[in-house]
Amino acid sequence: MKKTNEKNLTGVKDKTPRLYEIQHREIAKRAAAEGFVLLKNNGILPLKKGEKIALYGAGAAKTVKGGIGSGDVNERASVSILQGMKNAGFHIANEQWSIDFENAYEKARLEWRDRIHDRVERHGSARFFEIYTQDPFVCPTGEINIPPCSCEIAIFVLSRNAGEGMDRKDVKGDYYLSEDEEVLLRNICKQHHSVIVAINSGGIIDLGFADKYENICALLYIVQPGMEGGSAFADVVSGNVTPSGKLTDTWALNYKDYPNADTFSYKSGSVHKEYYEEGIFVGYRYFDSFDIKARYPFGYGLSYTEFEISATKIEIADNQIEITVNVKNTGMAFSGKEVVQVYTSCPQGEIIKEYRRLSAFGKTQNLAPGEEENLVLRFGWYDLASFSEEKSAWFLERGDYIIWVGSSIAGSRIAGVISLDEEKILSKTQAVCPLAETLEEHKFNQELLLNKRLRLEEEIKHLGIIKETVSAGRIKAFEIDYDKSEFFSPEVEALSNKLTLDECVKMVVGDPEKSHQEVIGDSGGSVPGSAASTSDVGIKYGIPSIVTADGTAGLRLQKEYEVVDGEVVRLDFMSSVEGGLFAPGKKNSGEIYYQYCTAFPVATLVAQSWDTALIHEIGAAIGREMSIFGITLWLAPGLNIHRNPLCGRNYEYYSEDPLVSGVVAAEITKGVQSIGGVGTTIKHLACNNQEDNRSGSDSVVSERTLRELYLKGFEIAVKTAQPMSVMTSYNLINGVHTANSYDLCTSVLRHEWGFGGFVMSDWETTKPLPEGFAECSVPYLCISAGNDLIMPGTFNDMDNIRRALSDGSLSQKNLLNSVKRIVRSALSTKKQQNG
Ligand code: BGC
């Protein structure tokens, strides 16, 4: 085997923390604190500095920093809440509880590891991921019979973990407290005067327990806060940082209140078809429209201080509406930041719409008591458009557009009304992803919604609000050219033309020679722990291969690897998850190289900060780490919609709302790509909203819902940030695998949105599924659809493409176009690869 040139090894031999680690930890800590959402506080928070507290719950000593699966990040070390509180000078009255818990935890971890190893041995390492995700680690609860404690205040950290490959369950121990947790919480509430509950979960859980015990004085949603979660927690509870996060999802009173509660994923009794019967009424669009009381509404979050928010000016330009909002910290004691949200009620006319939709948002600087700031928030007419399947167009209905401004959907107030004199067609589209069977979307209580709208119009009259009338003629429409030819630079053309036909085939099929063909990643690429790379067949012509890495909350690389006799000891995918828990025990006697990556807070928490500047900063930090480790393409961010709280991967995604999802993904992308020569892969296009049978489930969804909800975030991210790549999803949409969908990969992505990068498949989408499940994606159809790259690729994929070329089902032109798109991106990474 060829020896590795030391110069090409990523990572370092010296274990001392490097400057980037120190700097990025600080960003991770700030981001966590900014994204925590204070759900309830009767005044107990902030605590006095140095206060004596009792600390319970699995997440106290073992705070869950992030979810499982490819979104995991292997960091140097994380700060737990226990550690963070001690570092901040709090006195922990019952540390023994956590010491005992840690012992039980370590024992349970090792038992779990051995069980997984055992099963992998029996079924083969190719099935590791399936085995690992279907049997996730169940954390012990700790001692539930707690000894008497004189301490007044207790903090209970309730943790949950979930991830790729399996959806969550609305059962005890997952969506609900387990029986042991119930007992523990009851005992804590008996022993302590005031109880603070921190929710350390990647997704929504039932908070009914908070109604049961009066002495639960505060609830803080810390999601999964990354490696500095414990320090951020101490910052917030001590009042060093005033909480300013806001929910990006609606927290229902009961799981049953979600519109698809009984049919989501396995709940319907079948994981093969997923009928999107709720249509556009997902999240607040449902709760707000039909007056379903939420426990905590979308956009909600408390602060230690108070703000006064007033819209001072609305200006209408031809294609843009601009709102100036004054925010004043009216509190006396704490400085803080406020998130301003703008919602619009669009006219109800030809088609029924949600009562309100988020149209813009912004966050203030840290305002001292008495200090104020003017925020200018903008959105376009297109953001207010609806999609009509009948017209095959995005259009604006004639009537009143009522603008609301506030710090949550529930708390927003009418700020102005814009009246559109006539209907306006903004753009005509081709019909895409047609339904292959009938779908009856629920009407819910339409009458209630329409009456609500009528009452709102009455109120506007009553309040004497002056409407500003806009003539539809002033608003610019735009045309879509579905035949537009793509431009490639002469360099891209020339280099691509050098490849032989067979090299072209190799170029579009990952790199099966290097891949270990595991389900995720290959750990055998040039950077240990990275996911698969693109083919190196072009290297002799000066076309570098693209090196990809996962980890939606940072980079997932092996944190250490070994070099023996000049060769990297290759480990498989198993070694690159759970911080290396499944890596083989004793090493050889080689040299150890370290690659420590920063575990940022998970996507939902990042979004909950609503702070685009901070999000950009996180992106830039990830981009810098990519450049340090020789990764050129990040397999993130993920921006699927939180359609139901039980989706296993929700932690990797931002919100139930497409605007939040799109803006955050765009900002992360701009941050990463500001580094130069590195790029993002926004994923998974589209409707990857369930994990059970994720490769074979068919999302049956109307075109309107698809466009307004599930594609919208991707559209925003593509149009505003031009990510280097897009990853299609595993699932089918209306009977067609997304990787085989010309409508998605070409008509929508390139022609409608102007995407200029390349499209890749999710891992092994061309692998046949067991009998009784859907057909897998067809390799050559990926290429003709415009899904340019099959990852990580197999030799069968190549054969299939060769056959299709020879029998004429795939044209050479199509193949070459995919090659050119990959080459174009590969060349843009050259700057990094040349160092
Ligand atoms: C996941 C992707 C990930 C890929 C590569 C798949 O299982 O769905 O999100 O990027 O693996 O690791």
Side-chain angles (χ1 to χ4, degrees):
M1 199 194 273
K2 199 164 96 245
K3 297 216 168 159
T4 315
N5 176 345
E6 183 161 351
K7 227 173 63 205
N8 296 333
L9 291 170
T10 57
V12 286
K13 286 187 265 185
D14 179 3
K15 216 176 171 179
T16 326
R18 296 164 71 187
L19 184 61
Y20 80 87
E21 285 187 68
I22 298 163
Q23 290 168 337
H24 295 178
R25 253 179 187 278
E26 191 276 327
I27 301 174
K29 173 172 145 184
R30 240 182 321 123
E34 283 241 356
F36 290 166
V37 177
L38 183 60
L39 297 170
K40 174 179 178 175
N41 184 18
N42 74 352
I44 180 105
L45 291 176
L47 301 174
K48 284 198 233 71
K49 304 240 151 76
E51 182 103 57
K52 189 167 156 197
I53 53 159
L55 200 48
Y56 302 94
K62 291 289 174 188
T63 313
V64 178
K65 64 140 209 298
I68 56 178
S70 58
D72 195 7
V73 174
N74 298 315
E75 80 287 11
R76 177 188 285 268
S78 279
V79 180
S80 68
I81 288 181
L82 172 66
Q83 196 55 52
M85 292 297 278
K86 279 167 59 177
N87 293 349
F90 285 95
H91 177 73
I92 313 297
N94 67 336
E95 204 176 334
Q96 191 57 43
W97 190 94
S98 285
I99 294 169
D100 295 342
F101 169 81
E102 280 191 85
N103 291 334
Y105 176 94
E106 295 309 339
K107 190 165 164 269
R109 278 297 271 187
L110 294 181
E111 280 167 9
W112 176 61
R113 183 199 62 185
D114 293 347
R115 190 169 69 233
I116 301 284
H117 269 153
D118 220 53
R119 294 186 58 201
V120 167
E121 212 145 279
R122 275 185 284 129
H123 301 286
S125 67
R127 292 191 52 195
F128 165 73
F129 190 68
E130 182 194 331
I131 294 167
Y132 155 67
T133 53
Q134 310 282 307
D135 180 8
F137 175 63
V138 180
C139 197
T141 310
E143 181 52 60
I144 56 177
N145 298 312
I146 52 177
C149 176
S150 61
C151 182
E152 294 252 303
I153 301 171
I155 298 178
F156 175 49
V157 188
L158 179 61
S159 296
R160 289 288 178 271
N161 212 346
E164 200 167 330
M166 193 163 90
D167 287 315
R168 295 175 54 202
K169 304 264 182 308
D170 59 327
V171 296
K172 288 186 177 178
D174 191 342
Y175 196 77
Y176 302 95
L177 294 185
S178 69
E179 277 167 21
D180 277 354
E181 284 167 340
E182 284 266 12
V183 178
L184 175 58
L185 182 60
R186 192 188 320 132
N187 289 340
I188 295 170
C189 289
K190 261 193 219 149
Q191 294 268 356
H192 302 275
H193 184 267
S194 304
V195 178
I196 298 161
V197 181
I199 303 138
N200 175 207
S201 160
I204 294 174
I205 59 163
D206 184 75
L207 296 182
F209 61 80
D211 303 334
K212 262 199 197 157
Y213 305 102
E214 272 189 352
N215 51 345
I216 296 187
C217 304
L219 288 171
L220 185 64
Y221 182 39
I222 63 166
V223 202
Q224 291 168 335
M227 67 193 291
E228 279 292 335
S231 326
F233 183 84
D235 270 347
V236 169
V237 298
S238 65
N240 274 352
V241 174
T242 297
S244 62
K246 306 278 175 178
L247 294 177
T248 55
D249 290 312
T250 307
W251 285 53
L253 272 171
N254 297 298
Y255 171 73
K256 286 271 180 210
D257 295 339
Y258 290 103
N260 45 30
D262 293 332
T263 54
F264 173 74
S265 186
Y266 59 88
K267 300 282 298 176
S268 65
S270 160
V271 288
H272 298 281
K273 292 257 182 194
E274 187 67 10
Y275 293 94
Y276 285 46
E277 288 165 326
E278 70 283 353
I280 61 158
F281 293 105
V282 168
Y284 72 83
R285 282 169 167 73
Y286 171 72
F287 287 79
D288 186 46
S289 299
F290 303 110
D291 285 349
I292 313 291
K293 192 172 162 24
R295 180 178 289 279
Y296 295 115
F298 180 81
Y300 170 87
L302 300 172
S303 171
Y304 294 153
T305 184
E306 270 156 26
F307 297 94
E308 208 174 77
I309 296 180
S310 40
T312 52
K313 197 163 59 176
I314 301 189
E315 275 191 300
I316 305 159
D318 288 357
N319 279 302
Q320 189 167 279
I321 297 150
E322 192 177 281
I323 306 191
T324 308
V325 182
N326 179 273
V327 186
K328 183 171 182 186
N329 181 348
T330 54
M332 309 291 279
F334 295 94
S335 57
K337 299 181 178 184
E338 179 61 306
V339 175
V340 175
Q341 301 155 42
V342 178
Y343 296 88
T344 308
S345 295
C346 300
Q348 299 288 356
E350 205 176 299
I351 54 178
I352 300 287
K353 303 174 193 70
E354 65 286 304
Y355 183 61
R356 289 181 278 200
R357 76 168 70 161
L358 184 72
S359 312
F361 61 86
K363 191 166 192 174
T364 66
Q365 304 296 317
N366 201 30
L367 301 177
E371 203 181 344
E372 48 194 289
E373 182 182 336
N374 282 332
L375 287 178
V376 180
L377 306 172
R378 299 182 181 90
F379 54 100
W381 280 104
Y382 186 55
D383 299 320
L384 303 182
S386 292
F387 186 78
S388 161
E389 291 176 13
E390 220 186 310
K391 295 183 187 349
S392 247
W394 286 100
F395 80 124
L396 294 161
E397 293 215 40
R398 174 181 166 275
D400 291 347
Y401 290 78
I402 301 159
I403 317 275
W404 306 69
V405 171
S407 63
S408 76
I409 191 164
S412 58
R413 302 273 165 274
I414 300 170
V417 181
I418 306 171
S419 212
L420 188 64
D421 66 344
E422 266 174 39
E423 176 187 291
K424 177 80 188 182
I425 304 279
L426 286 179
S427 84
K428 285 282 218 177
T429 57
Q430 279 182 0
V432 296
C433 306
L435 282 164
E437 59 188 289
T438 318
L439 172 74
E440 281 292 332
E441 284 188 352
H442 291 312
K443 299 222 170 350
F444 301 112
N445 195 346
Q446 260 186 31
E447 209 184 311
L448 180 142
L449 171 58
L450 294 175
N451 283 336
K452 240 169 100 119
R453 171 73 196 190
L454 289 178
R455 282 204 306 280
L456 179 62
E457 287 174 6
E458 284 302 313
E459 194 186 335
I460 302 278
K461 266 194 220 144
H462 179 74
L463 293 173
I465 296 180
I466 315 232
K467 303 178 187 175
E468 173 139 8
T469 302
V470 171
S471 143
R474 270 179 68 186
I475 301 171
K476 269 199 215 119
F478 57 96
E479 263 178 43
I480 296 159
D481 179 359
Y482 288 97
D483 298 315
K484 199 168 158 204
S485 50
E486 216 169 328
F487 171 79
F488 296 103
S489 71
E491 189 190 9
V492 170
E493 293 278 0
L495 283 175
S496 307
N497 284 327
K498 283 189 181 166
L499 295 166
T500 64
L501 189 62
D502 210 56
E503 285 169 342
C504 286
V505 173
K506 289 185 174 148
M507 198 69 173
V508 299
V509 184
D511 200 349
E513 263 159 43
K514 273 204 237 140
S515 167
H516 290 189
Q517 302 197 31
E518 298 284 356
V519 178
I520 297 189
D522 67 0
S523 290
S526 49
V527 185
S530 62
S533 312
T534 60
S535 170
D536 53 18
V537 67
I539 289 180
K540 58 177 179 285
Y541 306 115
I543 308 164
S545 63
I546 299 173
V547 185
T548 72
D550 267 309
T552 38
L555 299 182
R556 185 171 60 78
L557 299 181
Q558 256 171 249
K559 61 179 167 186
E560 48 181 77
Y561 67 92
E562 200 181 2
V563 177
V564 175
D565 202 14
E567 281 165 26
V568 174
V569 178
R570 302 271 182 222
L571 297 177
D572 59 18
F573 169 66
M574 274 169 68
S575 311
S576 66
V577 291
E578 301 281 336
L581 180 73
F582 299 106
K586 174 64 199 119
K587 327 241 158 65
N588 312 294
S589 49
E591 280 186 303
I592 306 295
Y593 281 72
Y594 301 98
Q595 314 181 104
Y596 292 117
C597 298
T598 307
F600 291 94
V602 298
T604 308
L605 178 45
V606 166
Q608 285 183 177
S609 75
W610 299 66
D611 185 336
T612 48
L614 173 68
I615 293 165
H616 191 285
E617 218 184 320
I618 297 172
I622 292 170
R624 272 193 298 276
E625 290 187 21
M626 291 169 72
S627 134
I628 288 168
F629 293 111
I631 300 296
T632 43
L633 188 63
W634 187 36
L635 300 177
L639 63 148
N640 295 96
I641 291 294
H642 292 167
R643 177 173 171 247
N644 177 287
L646 301 183
C647 171
R649 275 187 109 164
N650 275 354
Y651 84 93
E652 294 193 70
Y653 308 142
Y654 299 118
S655 172
E656 64 187 24
D657 177 75
L659 180 78
V660 172
S661 307
V663 170
V664 177
E667 226 34 80
I668 283 274
T669 295
K670 285 191 215 161
V672 168
Q673 298 190 169
S674 70
I675 298 306
V678 295
T680 65
T681 311
I682 59 172
K683 68 187 186 185
H684 312 85
L685 187 77
C687 294
N688 194 164
N689 305 306
Q690 97 183 38
E691 285 302 301
D692 283 18
N693 186 27
R694 61 180 177 159
S695 304
S697 94
D698 182 11
S699 300
V700 181
V701 57
S702 74
E703 185 180 354
R704 176 184 175 203
T705 301
L706 183 63
R707 285 180 177 277
E708 287 191 18
L709 221 59
Y710 297 100
L711 296 182
K712 201 45 148 185
F714 288 94
E715 177 178 2
I716 295 169
V718 166
K719 285 183 172 170
T720 55
Q722 278 293 348
M724 188 184 284
S725 182
V726 171
M727 186 188 287
T728 46
S729 54
Y730 279 126
N731 55 281
L732 298 86
I733 295 181
N734 296 329
V736 180
H737 265 288
T738 58
N740 286 165
S741 169
Y742 180 87
D743 283 359
L744 267 189
C745 302
T746 301
S747 300
V748 169
L749 197 49
R750 297 183 201 285
H751 297 150
E752 294 187 14
W753 303 345
F755 176 59
F758 71 99
V759 182
M760 73 166 81
S761 71
D762 200 345
W763 264 231
E764 300 201 326
T765 172
T766 54
K767 184 176 165 189
L769 296 170
E771 229 185 279
F773 287 76
E775 299 282 320
C776 58
S777 302
V778 180
Y780 86 86
L781 288 180
C782 291
I783 308 308
S784 54
N787 182 111
D788 310 303
L789 177 65
I790 302 171
M791 286 300 262
T794 65
F795 295 108
N796 287 342
D797 296 336
M798 293 186 189
D799 288 344
N800 178 281
I801 293 173
R802 285 185 194 112
R803 268 198 310 276
L805 285 169
S806 63
D807 70 18
S809 355
L810 176 67
S811 71
Q812 286 193 18
K813 186 169 173 244
N814 266 341
L815 174 66
L816 195 59
N817 273 341
S818 287
V819 167
K820 286 182 202 167
R821 294 181 193 123
I822 298 167
V823 169
R824 180 174 52 198
S825 294
L827 292 183
S828 75
T829 67
K830 253 187 159 171
K831 188 177 151 215
Q832 287 301 332
Q833 315 221 351
N834 293 338

